[in-house]
Amino acid sequence: MYHPPVLKNRRTLLERSEKFISDTYFTDCNLRGRLYGDTHQLTSLSVSQTAKRISYSEAVQQNFQPCKVGDAFGSTWWTCWFKVVLKIPEAWRGKEVHLRWESDGEGMLWRDEQPVQGLTKEGEKTSYILSECLKQNEPHSITLYVELACNGLFGAGQGSFIAAPDPNRKYTLQKAELVVFNRDVQELLTDFEMLVDIVKMLGEEDQRGYQALFTANEMVNLCDPTDPDSFSSARSLAQKFFSQRNGQSQHIVHAMGHCHIDSAWLWPYEETIRKCARSWVTVVRLMEKNPEFIFTCSQAQQFQWVKNWYPGLFSRIQYFVQKGQFIPVGGTWVEMDGNLPSGESMVRQFLEGQNFFKAEFGQYCKEFWLPDTFGYSAQLPQIMQGAGIDRFLTQKLSWNLVNTFPLIKTVKHNKDKGRANHSAVLFGFGDGGGGPTQLMLDRLQRVQDSDGLPRVNMSTPDRLFSELQAESGLLCTWSGELFLELHNGTYTTQAKIKLGNRRCEALLHDVEVGSCLALSQNVGFSYPTKQLQELWRLLLLNQFHDVIPGSCIEMVVEDALEYYKGNSLSLDEVHLILNTLSWDRTEVIALSEEGAQSRLGTPNLDKGHHSLYGRNLCRQTGKVLQIGIFVMRQSAEKLFCNTFVLMCFGYREAISDGCFGNQFVLFDDVPLYWDAWDVMDYHLQTRKPVVDVIKPVQVLSSGGLRGSVTFSLRISAKSSITQEVILDANCPYIKFSTQVDWAEAHKFLKVEFPVQVRSSNATYEIQFGHLQRPTHRNTSWDWVRFEVWGHKWADVSEHGFGVALLNDCKYGYSVHQNIMTLSLLRAPKAPDANADMGHHEFTYAVMPHAGSFQEASVIQHAYNLNFPLRLIPDMNNIRPWSMFTVSSAAVILETIKQAEGKNNSLVVRLFESHGSILSCFSFTDYSCDLLEQPNYSRPAEVNDSKVSLTFRPFQIISLLLRIF
């Protein structure tokens, strides 16, 4: 057909094509308006509403009331079950028939007692195919059920999607009807959409983009939306464009379906279970129609949920795993936060995850999959490798606010162009679930090998990483942590979650150690394997990357705190475990973790004091503390530890001249958008010391084994601090036992120690080791580390002297020049409007020391603060004994547990903590990996019950010990 030439104006031609397929403009005459043909009403529609999440079998027994399109339901977090009775008109024979369903909630369609498809408008799933070509022998009268969650794909934020949920929101049913679906219109729309996207993506400078624009314009000229016979000629033009092939040098994109589902975030854990089912049942349905479709899926916890709640769906998933289409990835229990969990917690993430994948699918995961966490510990590569994984995928570093990380993102922004010719694209709706759609698969099919675009292959993680590995000699290496220059407020937000995490990590450690000691003394002892696995899995679940960071709604916080309560074994239960030891009852027994050693034995007790500290220094230290209290000035600005430091370290002053240690400071804390997530650098310009005294310094204890003073400060009209400053006999640090009543909005509370130490770097504890970060801000890479994370301690040292800052539940730090700062509390209002409000208790300590932090045993003392001695009353011991001994103070005996599936064996995990190469003596039969698979090729050489081990800096070594 001849068309007179027109001015080739790019904007008008592009907008013409866009309007031709718009679902907003000109739908009375454009192509989009012809997507659906005839419609037919449902025979009947009724609903049953419940505040609970109930099973299908319960739901169908409920009373259903008539309802109609336009009705509102809910409130938020309610569930509506719709009974849908329909009859397809006989006149539609030979046509494709859909149930069209649109609402602002998340739906799941049930047919024949099984879930068959998700129905979520935000996830572009608004119709269910009843018949692709209606035949006479197909059922025309059908009854279906739709389970509608009264929340959106991203929760129910009020005004903003990250705002606190609106509890009174209603949810509307917008469409519920039978329709004839015009497949030929859909195919042509997909052609247009891809051409328009290519025009936009390639821009005005690219010849191929103009070819796409010309093709789309010609297709509009040829296509009459009212005449389906005109569609084929328009489609021929599109196929001609897409079939023009690439050269052999073109970049290759490995496309994999994915559906990132946050295990909790803007919705509670229970809703995630249904999100998994809605998403994965749709994926399975796509696999049935598209045998080339590959889908990757992480998080063993989510598979476990689906197995428990949707066993039929789980069986289908197992089938497609065996076919190689549904690919489990990640190897961890959940996609955990990459900063805050302890080293042992990270090991257990892999141990529980990999064991689950092996048991349920017959294979371990080969790649670590963590696309959305808020930073990545420098120890992750070693932990991954110990779990049988040497491949890693993420994209979060592309969020960096200041420095662009050299990471593959797209072909255009690929930082390794010329070095690597392969990259990945994960397609599908994510965060709130949803996953891929048929339309996405159709789009990918059109651009598999089209000139001007990268080649797109449906692929697998193994294929991608194998290609990258073949080119790995050309790639660059990043050394150290992967620091995310955003979301640094998550080191502090939701302090009670972080307290629960640290305490439960310690409790589980102690129970495992105690159980192993009991087992070693009594072979009849029943090790609590099942109970410990359940408790570990709860703890690991709460380490999900939107829970332990505190970037979740209040309902999730409440669930997490309940899980910690369930995890918090009482000391009575620890006593029960240790009571199984068959000892005579003559003295007290203490269970301790001292870092380099783990001992069970008789403490050195000063009769009548129940203290584990040495007796000789008690009276003398008490006098020193009295002197210190006497000279302290009773002004809030001058509640400092200078005097204590002076007394304890001769005449070396640890606090800078004219400054005060233990200075509380308050900052305004208003980020650009991500409230619970971000603290911005400009907050540092709003510093205000907390100086208003409520209760002046009073002496609580002035002699014996402990000396202490207490005082109270007013933060504001609504918030206050009460603190006890404690000096214990034979203890190298001063403790600050702190209580805060906190009722602020967008404020940040910290405590400062301006130390008289000069160093260009500060050292922070991380998982199984430590790392250094700059104390200066010379470059943008230094500057963005104005708020960093660490675990139990941070240290600033110069030659011969240093100061360490210890804590029992905090993770946010800042060391700028000589000022050491511990972050205590934040007060964001989204997504939890009540985040951190209420009463808080925590302890931190300052430890001046001679020599390096290694020589001063800072690491061991931080363990002591976090793993206090547990006194076990009414237990007697004929003889003191020590089960394990390590000859080097640099080696930490971190974990003692029963080996997985081996009742007669223990796993003993050690790591080198100083950053040095060394040899030491230990004990065992074989070394093993973090999955506890023994290395029979390297049996340990036992000599007089000792084994020589050689450690590289920060190396983790796990040993198998047969005890009977």
Side-chain angles (χ1 to χ4, degrees):
M1 181 184 296
Y2 171 75
H3 302 292
V6 295
L7 178 65
K8 294 180 180 178
N9 182 278
R10 184 177 185 276
R11 175 182 171 183
T12 58
L13 295 185
L14 177 56
E15 287 199 22
R16 182 195 188 200
S17 299
E18 289 178 317
K19 296 300 191 294
F20 191 68
I21 58 174
S22 172
D23 59 2
T24 304
Y25 302 100
F26 309 114
T27 55
D28 61 324
C29 60
N30 73 2
L31 185 62
R32 180 76 62 180
R34 300 298 188 271
L35 183 59
Y36 296 104
D38 294 339
T39 64
H40 190 77
Q41 290 186 347
L42 303 176
T43 303
S44 68
L45 182 64
S46 53
V47 66
S48 174
Q49 302 186 64
T50 172
K52 299 179 180 179
R53 298 174 179 88
I54 60 176
S55 66
Y56 173 85
S57 58
E58 292 177 88
V60 296
Q61 301 300 320
Q62 305 302 306
N63 293 321
F64 285 79
Q65 302 297 321
C67 65
K68 63 183 184 301
V69 171
D71 286 350
F73 307 95
S75 304
T76 297
W77 309 126
W78 278 53
T79 299
C80 301
W81 282 86
F82 293 89
K83 184 176 182 179
V84 180
V85 180
L86 59 88
K87 185 174 182 180
I88 304 173
E90 292 286 345
W92 288 4
R93 194 171 302 161
K95 299 182 182 297
E96 184 170 343
V97 181
H98 289 199
L99 168 67
R100 192 177 183 190
W101 182 279
E102 292 184 14
S103 72
D104 43 12
E106 286 194 87
M108 168 88 91
L109 187 73
W110 292 76
R111 184 173 184 175
D112 300 328
E113 303 182 1
Q114 293 297 321
V116 292
Q117 187 184 306
L119 288 171
T120 304
K121 187 176 181 180
E122 293 168 288
E124 295 184 3
K125 298 178 181 70
T126 57
S127 69
Y128 168 68
I129 302 175
L130 293 165
S131 176
E132 292 182 346
C133 182
L134 186 65
K135 299 178 177 61
Q136 184 175 1
N137 61 352
E138 286 187 88
H140 286 47
S141 297
I142 304 170
T143 299
L144 306 170
Y145 288 87
V146 176
E147 177 189 13
L148 185 73
C150 290
N151 53 263
L153 199 62
F154 290 90
Q158 190 167 12
S160 163
F161 90 98
I162 66 164
D166 179 0
N168 302 313
R169 180 175 166 185
K170 298 295 183 181
Y171 295 80
T172 305
L173 179 59
Q174 296 147 355
K175 281 189 174 63
E177 61 187 6
L178 296 177
V179 296
V180 171
F181 183 78
N182 293 321
R183 178 64 59 181
D184 54 351
V185 173
Q186 178 62 72
E187 295 293 339
L188 191 53
L189 283 170
T190 304
D191 290 338
F192 270 110
E193 289 167 350
M194 290 305 297
L195 288 166
V196 167
D197 285 347
I198 289 170
V199 174
K200 293 178 178 179
M201 180 185 69
L202 295 182
E204 298 187 37
E205 305 303 320
D206 194 283
Q207 172 67 19
R208 186 64 170 161
Y210 276 99
Q211 292 175 359
L213 180 60
F214 175 81
T215 301
N217 187 62
E218 286 299 298
M219 288 170 64
V220 176
N221 291 334
L222 290 174
C223 179
D224 179 359
T226 65
D227 180 11
D229 291 339
S230 69
F231 295 174
S232 60
S233 56
R235 287 220 65 200
S236 294
L237 283 178
Q239 290 166 2
K240 179 181 178 181
F241 176 88
F242 293 128
S243 64
Q244 293 173 330
R245 301 304 178 199
N246 263 307
Q248 292 186 349
S249 64
Q250 190 59 271
H251 188 89
I252 298 172
V253 172
H254 294 251
M256 292 168 270
H258 190 56
C259 177
H260 179 65
I261 302 176
D262 288 322
S263 291
W265 179 28
L266 304 176
W267 51 86
Y269 284 126
E270 281 191 0
E271 191 56 44
T272 306
I273 300 173
R274 300 199 295 190
K275 283 178 175 288
C276 293
R278 286 189 290 263
S279 303
W280 296 355
V281 74
T282 306
V283 166
V284 166
R285 188 173 176 85
L286 287 173
M287 288 179 175
E288 292 168 348
K289 294 181 61 178
N290 304 270
E292 78 287 352
F293 172 43
I294 301 294
F295 180 77
T296 57
C297 191
S298 65
Q299 306 194 71
Q301 171 69 86
Q302 295 183 3
F303 283 96
Q304 181 71 65
W305 281 333
V306 170
K307 179 183 178 183
N308 292 343
W309 290 92
Y310 304 90
L313 172 59
F314 188 75
S315 295
R316 295 295 291 160
I317 290 171
Q318 287 179 310
Y319 169 75
F320 283 107
V321 169
Q322 294 305 313
K323 284 193 67 178
Q325 288 183 256
F326 201 115
I327 301 179
V329 294
T332 52
W333 190 246
V334 297
E335 289 186 8
M336 72 282 196
D337 179 76
N339 299 325
L340 307 185
S342 69
E344 187 59 30
S345 288
M346 284 191 169
V347 170
R348 300 305 177 91
Q349 287 283 354
F350 285 98
L351 181 65
E352 291 296 329
Q354 288 285 57
N355 284 349
F356 179 89
F357 289 127
K358 180 68 172 177
E360 298 296 340
F361 305 120
Q363 61 192 41
Y364 290 125
C365 296
K366 299 178 182 179
E367 51 284 308
F368 182 35
W369 199 272
L370 203 57
D372 195 33
T373 199
F374 309 151
Y376 304 86
S377 168
Q379 269 289 17
L380 273 172
Q382 184 182 183
I383 296 172
M384 289 160 46
Q385 289 178 328
I389 291 172
D390 58 4
R391 299 162 167 181
F392 172 51
L393 182 146
T394 186
Q395 60 82 39
K396 194 66 175 184
L397 293 171
S398 64
W399 284 47
N400 272 7
L401 199 61
V402 178
N403 299 291
T404 302
F405 188 82
L407 185 74
I408 292 175
K409 182 181 179 183
T410 63
V411 176
K412 182 177 180 181
H413 297 111
N414 184 350
K415 302 303 180 184
D416 288 311
K417 285 194 287 282
R419 297 177 182 271
N421 206 34
H422 299 264
S423 59
V425 60
L426 307 180
F427 62 94
F429 289 96
D431 283 344
T437 66
Q438 183 63 53
L439 185 56
M440 293 177 186
L441 296 175
D442 293 342
R443 289 170 176 166
L444 283 173
Q445 187 275 330
R446 282 162 170 76
V447 293
Q448 286 182 0
D449 188 4
S450 186
D451 185 30
L453 303 175
R455 281 206 186 100
V456 181
N457 296 335
M458 190 68 69
S459 188
T460 67
D462 185 61
R463 202 175 305 151
L464 165 68
F465 283 107
S466 295
E467 294 284 0
L468 292 174
Q469 198 161 2
E471 302 170 347
S472 61
L474 299 174
L475 297 178
C476 300
T477 300
W478 185 270
S479 178
E481 67 177 330
L482 299 178
F483 185 82
L484 180 67
E485 298 174 5
L486 208 65
H487 297 357
N488 42 13
T490 61
Y491 315 148
T492 306
T493 305
Q494 299 290 5
K496 290 182 180 177
I497 286 181
K498 292 166 172 65
L499 172 68
N501 178 75
R502 184 80 66 84
R503 294 234 172 127
C504 287
E505 286 176 335
L507 279 168
L508 286 170
H509 166 277
D510 288 354
V511 172
E512 286 182 332
V513 170
S515 297
C516 290
L517 296 175
L519 185 64
S520 70
Q521 292 293 298
N522 180 1
V523 296
F525 172 74
S526 179
Y527 191 92
T529 304
K530 183 178 179 182
Q531 298 96 315
L532 282 170
Q533 184 185 61
E534 291 173 353
L535 295 172
W536 264 112
R537 286 183 171 184
L538 284 177
L539 177 62
L540 300 180
L541 174 59
N542 277 352
Q543 289 172 353
F544 179 75
H545 64 251
D546 276 309
V547 180
I548 189 173
S551 51
C552 52
I553 62 172
E554 189 171 14
M555 289 179 72
V556 177
V557 176
E558 293 168 352
D559 286 345
L561 296 181
E562 282 300 312
Y563 289 166
Y564 288 135
K565 287 181 183 178
N567 209 326
S568 296
L569 297 175
S570 68
L571 283 179
D572 290 338
E573 293 175 85
V574 179
H575 300 165
L576 286 175
I577 291 171
L578 295 178
N579 270 326
T580 62
L581 299 171
S582 55
W583 292 325
D584 293 336
R585 303 186 173 215
T586 56
E587 294 181 318
V588 177
I589 293 171
L591 177 65
S592 73
E593 168 60 48
E594 298 181 0
Q597 299 180 12
S598 179
R599 299 191 183 108
L600 184 71
T602 305
N604 184 13
L605 292 179
D606 187 7
K607 299 299 182 182
H609 283 100
H610 290 301
S611 170
L612 299 180
Y613 302 123
R615 289 169 290 177
N616 296 335
L617 297 178
C618 293
R619 189 172 301 165
Q620 177 184 353
T621 309
K623 289 182 178 178
V624 169
L625 184 61
Q626 289 178 28
I627 296 171
I629 294 170
F630 179 77
V631 300
M632 283 185 68
R633 301 174 185 175
Q634 297 189 11
S635 162
E637 281 190 308
K638 298 180 180 179
L639 292 170
F640 55 88
C641 56
N642 300 40
T643 305
F644 299 138
V645 174
L646 192 74
M647 296 292 178
C648 294
F649 284 88
Y651 292 95
R652 170 65 194 252
E653 180 60 77
I655 300 297
S656 294
D657 294 341
C659 298
F660 306 114
N662 196 40
Q663 175 67 67
F664 293 100
V665 285
L666 194 67
F667 298 85
D668 295 340
D669 186 14
V670 185
L672 297 176
Y673 179 72
W674 298 98
D675 203 354
W677 293 260
D678 291 350
V679 56
M680 309 307 296
D681 55 357
Y682 52 74
H683 88 284
L684 297 169
Q685 298 175 309
T686 66
R687 178 183 179 275
K688 299 179 184 67
V690 177
V691 298
D692 192 3
V693 178
I694 299 174
K695 182 192 295 184
V697 174
Q698 297 178 344
V699 177
L700 285 185
S701 177
S702 60
L705 301 177
R706 167 169 289 184
S708 69
V709 298
T710 186
F711 60 89
S712 297
L713 301 176
R714 182 177 291 107
I715 300 172
S716 71
K718 297 186 256 185
S719 304
S720 62
I721 302 169
T722 298
Q723 190 171 73
E724 183 182 4
V725 183
I726 302 166
L727 183 59
D728 284 330
N730 201 30
C731 182
Y733 51 75
I734 300 168
K735 288 193 294 188
F736 300 87
S737 179
T738 311
Q739 299 185 47
V740 180
D741 291 307
W742 184 247
E744 299 300 308
H746 292 113
K747 299 293 181 183
F748 199 164
L749 180 67
K750 306 184 186 184
V751 64
E752 294 177 347
F753 290 87
V755 298
Q756 195 158 285
V757 179
R758 181 179 177 84
S759 176
S760 59
N761 291 289
T763 307
Y764 302 84
E765 187 195 38
I766 65 168
Q767 298 84 356
F768 297 122
H770 58 264
L771 55 74
Q772 291 188 329
R773 301 185 181 107
T775 60
H776 55 76
R777 295 174 181 169
N778 291 353
T779 71
S780 61
W781 292 89
D782 304 329
W783 175 260
V784 294
R785 286 169 166 78
F786 61 86
E787 181 79 9
V788 298
W789 64 273
H791 285 195
K792 298 185 291 292
W793 59 269
D795 183 87
V796 178
S797 292
E798 60 189 34
H799 179 69
F801 184 77
V803 177
L805 189 55
L806 321 178
N807 76 85
D808 71 348
C809 63
K810 300 300 177 184
Y811 296 89
Y813 293 89
S814 172
V815 180
H816 182 220
Q817 295 178 349
N818 68 318
I819 301 175
M820 304 182 72
T821 304
L822 184 66
S823 297
L824 303 177
L825 292 169
R826 295 186 70 222
K829 298 303 172 187
D832 177 4
N834 298 305
D836 281 318
M837 297 298 98
H839 185 74
H840 297 267
E841 296 184 10
F842 49 86
T843 297
Y844 56 90
V846 64
M847 180 181 165
H849 59 81
S852 68
F853 71 86
Q854 293 98 329
E855 295 166 334
S857 298
V858 166
I859 300 168
Q860 284 80 359
H861 288 298
Y863 271 95
N864 290 342
L865 182 66
N866 282 267
F867 293 80
L869 289 166
R870 301 194 184 282
L871 292 177
I872 312 299
D874 301 323
M875 294 195 61
N876 305 308
N877 187 5
I878 303 173
R879 56 183 177 80
W881 66 287
S882 177
M883 185 176 182
F884 304 118
T885 306
V886 180
S887 62
S888 171
V891 175
I892 303 294
L893 198 165
E894 178 71 20
T895 298
I896 308 166
K897 66 179 288 289
Q898 188 180 62
E900 299 290 304
K902 299 181 180 68
N903 294 337
N904 67 339
S905 298
L906 304 181
V907 169
V908 179
R909 193 159 8 262
L910 311 97
F911 73 97
E912 197 287 319
S913 67
H914 286 182
S916 59
I917 296 176
L918 59 87
S919 297
C920 72
F921 288 105
S922 185
F923 42 84
T924 193
D925 296 329
Y926 293 99
S927 63
C928 62
D929 62 18
L930 297 183
L931 301 182
E932 303 179 11
Q933 304 298 314
N935 184 354
Y936 293 113
S937 66
R938 297 180 61 189
E941 296 181 7
V942 181
N943 182 13
D944 192 22
S945 299
K946 296 180 180 179
V947 175
S948 177
L949 297 174
T950 299
F951 286 82
R952 298 188 303 274
F954 308 123
Q955 184 179 4
I956 306 162
I957 294 181
S958 298
L959 304 171
L960 276 177
L961 173 66
R962 286 198 300 265
I963 56 175
F964 58 86

